[in-house]
Amino acid sequence: MTDARVETVIDTVAWVRIEDGRILCARPRGKGIFYIPGGKREGAETDLQTLLREIEEELTVTLVPETARHVGTYEAAVHGPADGVTVRMSCYTADYRGTLTASSEIDEMAWFGYADRDSVPPVDQLLFDDLAAAGLLH
């Protein structure tokens, strides 16, 4: 007998912005948890296209495409009660132009250190672990 469950993967791209040993996180409107800024791919968008669009929509800044560097790709169960749903998060660093400002999609921005790890979803926690191990997140 085979398992009839279908695994669902939510494909996301995230911006890793670290300053003074802390990482930028955002709490979307109506949500009670912070996330690494970014979002879901639309259609056939590339990682870079998704990243540029999502960060401009969420934080009103323009990322500098030629500075984008892949940090890693992480997978973990989605935050919350959904069973069989995994989030895949491709993470990139990049320089930006403009002033970081929460858009209408974002209720709050915050800079988190490793001690704030439990305030983010499981997939983000994997990134926190790697950044801390590399000495980038205090």
Side-chain angles (χ1 to χ4, degrees):
M1 183 172 204
T2 61
D3 187 349
R5 287 185 310 164
V6 174
E7 181 77 16
T8 301
V9 176
I10 300 171
D11 185 23
T12 67
V13 181
W15 182 41
V16 177
R17 181 67 190 181
I18 300 171
E19 293 182 11
D20 300 321
R22 297 180 303 153
I23 189 168
L24 180 63
C25 293
R27 186 172 57 81
R29 184 159 311 287
K31 303 269 183 172
I33 191 165
F34 282 83
Y35 297 86
I36 304 300
K40 297 176 192 168
R41 184 183 320 274
E42 290 182 359
E45 282 182 327
T46 65
D47 283 3
L48 184 58
Q49 289 168 330
T50 303
L51 185 69
L52 296 173
R53 178 184 51 76
E54 284 288 344
I55 298 309
E56 188 166 359
E57 287 175 5
E58 291 183 0
L59 303 175
T60 69
V61 296
T62 302
L63 296 184
V64 181
E66 58 272 15
T67 67
R69 299 289 178 267
H70 186 251
V71 173
T73 299
Y74 302 88
E75 289 191 18
V78 71
H79 172 75
D83 189 30
V85 179
T86 299
V87 175
R88 178 184 303 125
M89 183 174 70
S90 299
C91 300
Y92 292 82
T93 60
D95 294 336
Y96 70 95
R97 293 186 187 101
T99 302
L100 289 169
T101 306
S103 73
S104 60
E105 294 182 9
I106 303 298
D107 273 342
E108 185 179 2
M109 294 184 317
W111 293 92
F112 284 0
Y114 191 72
D116 301 302
R117 180 183 182 275
D118 290 340
S119 300
V120 298
V123 72
D124 293 27
Q125 291 177 7
L126 298 174
L127 171 64
F128 272 50
D129 293 344
D130 277 0
L131 293 173
L136 299 172
L137 193 62
H138 305 296

